Amino acid sequence: AQSVSQHNHHVILSEAASLELGCNYSYGGTVNLFWYVQYPGQHLQLLLKYFSGDPLVKGIKGFEAEFIKSKFSFNLRKPSVQWSDTAEYFCAVNGGSQGNLIFGKGTKLSVKP
Amino acid sequence: DTAVSQTPKYLVTQMGNDKSIKCEQNLGHDTMYWYKQDSKKFLKIMFSYNNKELIINETVPNRFSPKSPDKAHLNLHINSLELGDSAVYFCASSRRGSADTQYFGPGTRLTVL
């Protein structure tokens, strides 16, 4: 069965610090990979996605993620965080055309002004 | 324009009651979903519908029943509500199957007393 692991439960950073959130998945076949963000009290919004091609994908708001197939990883990065990036971040994986979208347990990011 | 909308946003009810949550998408997508987000923010798929046909039915209690009057709507009906049903329920849609990007509604916070 597919699973998604997000290593950090809660990350606290100061503004302008660099961010990297880990995501690993278990699935042997072709996968589609997503990062979603959930701002306090709001719905999930897509940050970025990887289906194929360049393993370094750029998303909205300065976020990027790198797919490393050999490590089954899809880590999210941002060079300089802002207070407005405070949110919950979810990694999600889909394997196969009829497979479910499996979410990680989320990482809460708190950015101190 | 709201892409995926849900009503109501908040729902407070007593144990044993029956309630419904409505979802509508104006994206012309073929597939719609219901997710449950528990108190620890963990997201898990409950149902998905493709062209009014149930294609994924996770192991949820049969007190939960999705109803799709047309491609743009997927309502969630819950019978005999229990305390453990308290959660945030998100509707989502995607263009075709679950391999495509899913767009989420604002969520319905259900509280069972």
Side-chain angles (χ1 to χ4, degrees):
Chain A
Q2 299 174 52
S3 66
V4 180
S5 298
Q6 291 183 241
H7 317 299
N8 311 103
H9 178 63
H10 190 184
V11 172
I12 303 172
L13 295 173
S14 297
E15 275 194 315
S18 64
L19 170 71
E20 181 160 2
L21 301 182
C23 173
N24 286 88
Y25 65 92
S26 65
Y27 184 74
T30 302
V31 291
N32 297 324
L33 299 157
F34 305 83
W35 275 98
Y36 283 87
V37 61
Q38 187 177 24
Y39 297 103
Q42 296 190 27
H43 63 287
L44 280 86
Q45 301 172 44
L46 181 70
L47 268 181
L48 48 78
K49 62 187 178 184
Y50 173 80
F51 285 4
S52 64
D54 188 344
L56 183 63
V57 292
K58 295 193 183 298
I60 61 171
K61 305 186 181 187
F63 286 91
E64 65 178 32
E66 185 175 12
F67 170 52
I68 303 179
K69 189 175 181 180
S70 60
K71 294 185 178 180
F72 297 90
S73 70
F74 190 55
N75 292 354
L76 181 72
R77 299 194 292 250
K78 185 171 183 178
S80 176
V81 295
Q82 300 172 321
W83 177 78
S84 58
D85 293 324
T86 294
E88 194 94 20
Y89 292 81
F90 293 92
C91 180
V93 173
N94 172 279
S97 60
Q98 294 300 319
N100 290 339
L101 186 63
I102 306 297
F103 282 86
K105 293 192 174 183
T107 296
K108 181 177 180 179
L109 172 65
S110 299
V111 180
K112 298 184 290 185
Chain B
D1 285 341
T2 303
V4 182
S5 60
Q6 295 178 229
T7 54
K9 189 170 183 180
Y10 299 97
L11 184 54
V12 181
T13 188
Q14 300 286 333
M15 271 199 311
N17 285 349
D18 302 339
K19 291 292 178 185
S20 292
I21 306 172
K22 295 185 177 181
C23 177
E24 177 180 2
Q25 55 96 2
N26 63 6
L27 297 166
H29 288 170
D30 284 344
T31 309
M32 296 183 70
Y33 313 82
W34 277 106
Y35 287 85
K36 180 180 180 180
Q37 186 177 46
D38 62 24
S39 58
K40 296 185 178 179
K41 300 278 190 174
F42 186 50
L43 269 160
K44 188 170 182 182
I45 191 165
M46 299 177 72
F47 301 103
S48 69
Y49 254 75
N50 187 351
N51 284 332
K52 299 175 67 173
E53 195 173 348
L54 182 68
I55 58 172
I56 301 173
N57 186 349
E58 289 296 309
T59 54
V60 299
N62 58 14
R63 298 181 294 103
F64 290 79
S65 55
K67 298 190 190 305
S68 181
D70 55 56
K71 197 172 85 165
H73 296 84
L74 182 65
N75 303 326
L76 182 65
H77 190 75
I78 316 169
N79 288 328
S80 303
L81 278 156
E82 301 177 357
L83 292 176
D85 298 333
S86 295
V88 181
Y89 292 85
F90 287 99
C91 177
S93 72
S94 66
R95 191 161 54 96
R96 288 193 294 269
S98 56
D100 281 335
T101 302
Q102 294 184 26
Y103 296 86
F104 285 78
T108 296
R109 182 175 293 278
L110 171 65
T111 303
V112 182
L113 303 175

